[in-house]
Every structure is written in structure tokens, then in C-alpha cells.
Amino acid sequence: MLNFIKDQVRTIKRKDPAIKSTMEVFLYPSFRALLCHRISNFLFRYKLYFLARFICEFAKRRTGIEIHPGAKIGKSVFIDHGSGVVIGETAVVGNNVTMFHGVTLGGTGNEKTKKRHPTIEDDVFIGSGAKVLGNIVIGKASKVGAGAIVLNNVPPGVTVVGVPAKIVRKR
Amino acid sequence: MLNFIKDQVRTIKRKDPAIKSTMEVFLYPSFRALLCHRISNFLFRYKLYFLARFICEFAKRRTGIEIHPGAKIGKSVFIDHGSGVVIGETAVVGNNVTMFHGVTLGGTGNEKTKKRHPTIEDDVFIGSGAKVLGNIVIGKASKVGAGAIVLNNVPPGVTVVGVPAKIVRKR
Amino acid sequence: MLNFIKDQVRTIKRKDPAIKSTMEVFLYPSFRALLCHRISNFLFRYKLYFLARFICEFAKRRTGIEIHPGAKIGKSVFIDHGSGVVIGETAVVGNNVTMFHGVTLGGTGNEKTKKRHPTIEDDVFIGSGAKVLGNIVIGKASKVGAGAIVLNNVPPGVTVVGVPAKIVRKR
């Protein structure tokens, strides 16, 4: 738990140019939502579903960030601002991923498999209001533009934008 | 009121694959926002506008879902996740409608008539972040894609996507 | 402060057709968020960053509107509904600007200068869910359509829509 707090302090200070002091980290919705998720995810793995959901809803009311207790979240993740973020039950988020407010990692409603939500690989950047829908993969270090609607796999190291999202830049 | 609760329990268990137990229904923002709306709509019809608005704002703070007390909402409606949902004063929502977070049923600011907001017919599905604006009609069982901006009438049984929204599939 | 309250009452009654009485103004998220911003901005100018941020986060939890304490906001501004609004540290908002819920005045993450966020000139109208990103200027009395993603300067008196936003109408 102490490692988690240290990692978050380092991550937020590195990623947000608007921060003025270390103390401010404890006011960040990102920090509080991810802390609650660690607890709700622990309860979920022990099948304490109601309690897990209760903590998830509590965190959502306080931070605007809704992370389903079943989602898997990596290290050094940062969710800037946070209002309106929704991360689904079977979503997987890698290390060092940055997301902005309004991002959805959701389902399309047509999924037949158990895994209904996307997998986000390490170092991915997802702009504000972007929606990544279905059991797809966003490749390592790719960028998703603000407001993009992503419905297909995205290879590593590219930038996608638009509705629906298309590749605009390759490394 | 008991009928409403029974209907909501049935609706949420049918529509959300992530639910684990009946008790969880009472944690759903959709359930709590629609319950508050029934109260605020009752007060609104008796011209208790301030009290109606107070309950509407209370529900919004707790659930992220803002339903104007004047809006007309049908049976078996489900609003998944809910943060950022805005439903305007003269909006009409039919039975068995499913909406995701970030959906707006709003005005365009240019309306001259009393009815400034859309009418959503039965069985419509509206994806996350979609905005339906103005006094238009979304026809029975149509689907609106995530992030779509809908500014014109949509016939029944079609799928619309994009900014601005266009028909991509007909039944 | 009294001038601010009088100005807000006048602004909201003029701009929102759904309001029924003057008392309702005090329930408006726009009014409460802008009031908190005046306090947090005052503290920020005296370098009381932690306290300023605390009030900013408090206001966000209660209203859904996040205005960084460093942002400069003009007179007669109105933010309708408000959930999911994010206004960045170096954003400047002119007089008589109208914004809807879900609007972002943010950075792109690539800014090298101190001013990372947009400048919105007087009388601008920004539709729900629109994102204005980077150190750009939206010219006087222009309109930004719902869901638009604006990445370049917008001249005065035009309407822009789409992802990315393009001019569709000139005065």
C-alpha cells in the first residue's frame, strides 16, 4: 500500500504540470479513485461483490471516476480530472497509462465472450472524452485523440483520431 | 411505487451483464436517479418548482444523472453508469429505453416552440456520450452510436452514428 | 461579491428558458461553481495553492464543474448543467460566455509555453461535450457545436462543428 502511494505521488508530479506541491496529490481524484479500486478489487477477488460495488459507487460519487471492481489496473496509471470516466468489469489497463476525463473503456453490447471490455497496453495515452469499446487491444505507447470512438484493435506506437477512429500517424 | 421498484430490479438484472446479486440494484445510479425523478416530477406537476428542482439537483450530485423534473420517463428505462447524463425539461422517453453515461437529450438553443427537447420512442438504445438535440423524434427500436450528435429525426429500426449522425444500417 | 450575485441572477434568468423563479438560481451548479472559483482564485493569487485546490475539488464534487483556481473567468458567464466541465489553469474566459455540460478548455500535452490552455473571447457559445484544446483563441461571438474537437484558432463570428472542428457558417 505504501508502495502504491509512493508510486502515485511520483506519477502525478511527473505527469501534471499544474501541480504545486506534494500535498496536493491527496486531493487528486485519480489518487483517491485508484486507492478505492485497490480495496474494491481485493474484495471482488474474494467474491464480496456487494461490498466491492459499494466502495466503487462511493469512489465514483466523490471523484467522478467509476472503475468496476473486477477491472485490472497496472502501476503508475494517471487519470487526469476524472469526471465521467467509466472502466468496465473485464477491462485491463497496463502500466504508465494516462487517461483524461470522460474516457470510457466499455462494451458494445454485442459481446458474446466473457471478456467484453478493452485491453490497454503500457504507456498508452487516451485523450478526454474518447471511448474505447469492445474486446479490443490498444497497442503499447499508442495515442487516442480527444473525442475518438475506437471500435477496432490499434497497433502499437500509432495515433488514432476521429469518429470512428482512424490512424493518422505512425512512428 | 412498489411496481416501480419491481420493474427496475427486473430491468437492471436483464440489461446489465456485470450485476452479481439483486441487492446491488439499490446501488445503481439508474435506480436512484429514476426514483428521485418520480418524486420531483410529482412535485413539478403540482407546481412546487423549487422543491422539485432541489430533489433533481440532489439526485444529480449523488448519481451524476440530471433529469429535469418536467421530463416524461417511461417504464423499464435503464441508464447505465450515468455520469454526465442530462435530460431536458420537455424531453419524452418511452418504455424499455437504454441509455449510457454521458447521453444528452437537450435543446439546440434555437427552439421557438414550447417543446424544446427530443422524444425517444420505445426500445431505443443510445450509446455513451451521444447527444440528441432539439425537438426531434428517435423512432422505435433505433440505435444511436456512442459519441453521435443527432440533430434530425431518426426513423424507426435504424442505426445512426457519427458527427453529425447518419444512418448506417436499416432493418 | 454582491455585484457578482446580482450579475449571476440576471445572467441565469436571461439564458435558461427552464427556470421558474429567482430562488432557483441558488440551486444552479453554474452559480455555485463560479462563486467557489472566485474564492479559490483569490487564494491562488496569494499563493495559497493547497487551500485553493481544496476549494476547487470541493466545488467539483458538488457541481460537476472543475475550474482550476488559476483560470481567469469574466462576467455574466453561464455554465448550463455543468457535469464534466473542465477549465484548465491558464484558460481565459471572456464576458457573457455560455458553456454547456461536458465542455473542456484543456491542454494537448504538447505545450512548451506557460500558457497551455485556450482563450475564449466575449459572447462565445460552446455546445455540450465540445473540447477546446491548446493555447488557441476562440474569436468574439463565435459558436462551437456540440461534440466538436477544436485544435486551431477560430476567427470571430463563425460557427465550427465536427471532429476535428471546421467552419460551417460565417456571419
Side-chain angles (χ1 to χ4, degrees):
Chain A
M1 185 62 89
L2 200 68
N3 281 341
F4 165 76
I5 294 173
K6 273 185 195 163
D7 173 52
Q8 276 292 305
V9 169
R10 222 178 305 121
T11 303
I12 292 177
K13 290 182 82 167
R14 180 160 53 84
K15 293 195 177 182
D16 189 356
I19 196 168
K20 308 285 175 203
S21 68
T22 302
M23 276 295 285
E24 267 184 54
V25 165
F26 302 102
L27 298 177
Y28 269 67
S30 179
F31 171 74
R32 292 183 293 142
L34 291 171
L35 187 65
C36 286
H37 176 68
R38 282 178 74 92
I39 300 167
S40 73
N41 183 247
F42 176 86
L43 296 168
F44 186 85
R45 279 184 280 130
Y46 285 89
K47 299 197 192 302
L48 295 164
Y49 298 129
F50 186 84
L51 209 59
R53 188 70 171 236
F54 185 85
I55 289 170
C56 161
E57 284 295 327
F58 170 83
K60 183 199 160 190
R61 270 210 302 282
R62 308 285 289 200
T63 66
I65 300 169
E66 178 178 348
I67 309 176
H68 193 286
K72 291 190 182 69
I73 311 287
K75 284 183 192 169
S76 307
V77 167
F78 178 47
I79 302 173
D80 207 357
H81 309 298
S83 23
V85 167
V86 174
I87 299 179
E89 184 183 3
T90 62
V92 177
V93 176
N95 299 324
N96 199 32
V97 167
T98 305
M99 272 178 261
F100 278 73
H101 53 290
V103 165
T104 298
L105 308 180
T108 63
N110 298 321
E111 287 81 10
K112 304 286 177 240
T113 54
K114 273 209 114 178
K115 176 101 165 65
R116 305 186 307 277
H117 304 107
T119 295
I120 312 298
E121 294 188 348
D122 297 352
D123 308 320
V124 165
F125 175 101
I126 309 181
S128 58
K131 320 255 176 258
V132 182
L133 303 177
N135 181 17
I136 61 177
V137 176
I138 308 296
K140 189 174 154 66
S142 279
K143 289 187 180 191
V144 177
I149 307 287
V150 188
L151 300 166
N152 295 300
N153 289 326
V154 171
V158 303
T159 299
V160 297
V161 302
V163 181
K166 282 174 188 144
I167 296 174
V168 288
R169 198 178 306 157
K170 295 194 192 194
R171 283 247 194 91
Chain B
M1 186 61 88
L2 199 69
N3 281 341
F4 165 77
I5 294 172
K6 274 185 195 164
D7 173 52
Q8 275 292 306
V9 169
R10 222 178 305 123
T11 304
I12 293 177
K13 290 182 81 169
R14 182 161 51 85
K15 292 194 178 183
D16 190 355
I19 196 169
K20 308 285 176 202
S21 69
T22 301
M23 276 296 286
E24 267 185 52
V25 166
F26 302 102
L27 297 177
Y28 270 67
S30 179
F31 171 74
R32 292 183 292 142
L34 292 171
L35 187 65
C36 287
H37 176 68
R38 281 177 73 92
I39 300 166
S40 73
N41 183 247
F42 176 87
L43 297 167
F44 186 85
R45 280 184 279 131
Y46 284 89
K47 299 196 191 303
L48 295 164
Y49 297 130
F50 185 83
L51 209 59
R53 187 71 171 237
F54 185 85
I55 289 170
C56 161
E57 284 294 329
F58 170 83
K60 183 198 161 190
R61 270 210 302 282
R62 308 285 288 199
T63 66
I65 299 170
E66 178 177 348
I67 309 177
H68 193 286
K72 291 190 183 70
I73 311 287
K75 285 183 193 170
S76 308
V77 167
F78 178 48
I79 303 173
D80 207 357
H81 309 299
S83 22
V85 167
V86 174
I87 299 180
E89 184 183 3
T90 63
V92 178
V93 176
N95 299 324
N96 198 32
V97 168
T98 305
M99 271 179 261
F100 279 72
H101 53 289
V103 165
T104 298
L105 308 180
T108 63
N110 297 320
E111 286 81 9
K112 302 289 176 239
T113 55
K114 274 208 115 177
K115 175 100 166 66
R116 305 187 306 278
H117 304 107
T119 296
I120 311 299
E121 295 188 347
D122 298 352
D123 308 320
V124 166
F125 174 102
I126 309 181
S128 58
K131 320 253 175 259
V132 183
L133 303 177
N135 181 16
I136 60 176
V137 176
I138 308 296
K140 188 173 155 66
S142 279
K143 288 187 181 192
V144 177
I149 307 287
V150 189
L151 300 165
N152 295 299
N153 289 326
V154 171
V158 304
T159 299
V160 298
V161 303
V163 182
K166 282 174 189 145
I167 297 175
V168 288
R169 199 177 306 158
K170 295 195 191 191
R171 284 245 193 95
Chain C
M1 186 60 89
L2 199 68
N3 282 340
F4 165 76
I5 294 172
K6 274 187 196 163
D7 173 53
Q8 275 292 306
V9 169
R10 222 179 305 121
T11 303
I12 292 177
K13 290 182 82 168
R14 181 161 51 84
K15 292 195 178 184
D16 189 355
I19 196 168
K20 308 284 175 201
S21 68
T22 301
M23 277 295 287
E24 268 185 52
V25 166
F26 303 103
L27 297 176
Y28 269 66
S30 180
F31 171 74
R32 291 183 294 142
L34 292 171
L35 187 65
C36 287
H37 176 68
R38 282 177 73 92
I39 300 167
S40 73
N41 183 246
F42 176 87
L43 296 168
F44 186 84
R45 278 183 281 130
Y46 285 89
K47 299 197 191 303
L48 295 163
Y49 297 130
F50 186 82
L51 210 57
R53 188 72 173 233
F54 185 85
I55 288 170
C56 160
E57 284 294 329
F58 170 83
K60 183 198 161 192
R61 269 209 303 280
R62 307 286 289 200
T63 67
I65 300 170
E66 178 177 346
I67 309 177
H68 193 286
K72 291 191 181 69
I73 311 287
K75 283 182 194 172
S76 306
V77 167
F78 178 47
I79 303 173
D80 207 356
H81 309 299
S83 23
V85 167
V86 173
I87 299 179
E89 183 182 2
T90 62
V92 178
V93 176
N95 300 324
N96 198 32
V97 167
T98 306
M99 272 178 260
F100 278 72
H101 53 289
V103 165
T104 297
L105 308 180
T108 63
N110 298 320
E111 286 80 9
K112 304 285 176 241
T113 55
K114 272 209 116 179
K115 177 102 165 64
R116 305 187 306 278
H117 303 107
T119 296
I120 311 297
E121 294 188 349
D122 298 351
D123 307 320
V124 165
F125 174 102
I126 309 181
S128 57
K131 319 252 174 260
V132 182
L133 303 178
N135 181 17
I136 60 176
V137 177
I138 308 296
K140 189 174 154 66
S142 278
K143 289 186 180 192
V144 177
I149 306 288
V150 189
L151 300 166
N152 295 300
N153 289 327
V154 171
V158 304
T159 299
V160 297
V161 302
V163 181
K166 282 172 190 148
I167 297 174
V168 288
R169 198 178 305 158
K170 296 195 189 191
R171 284 247 192 90

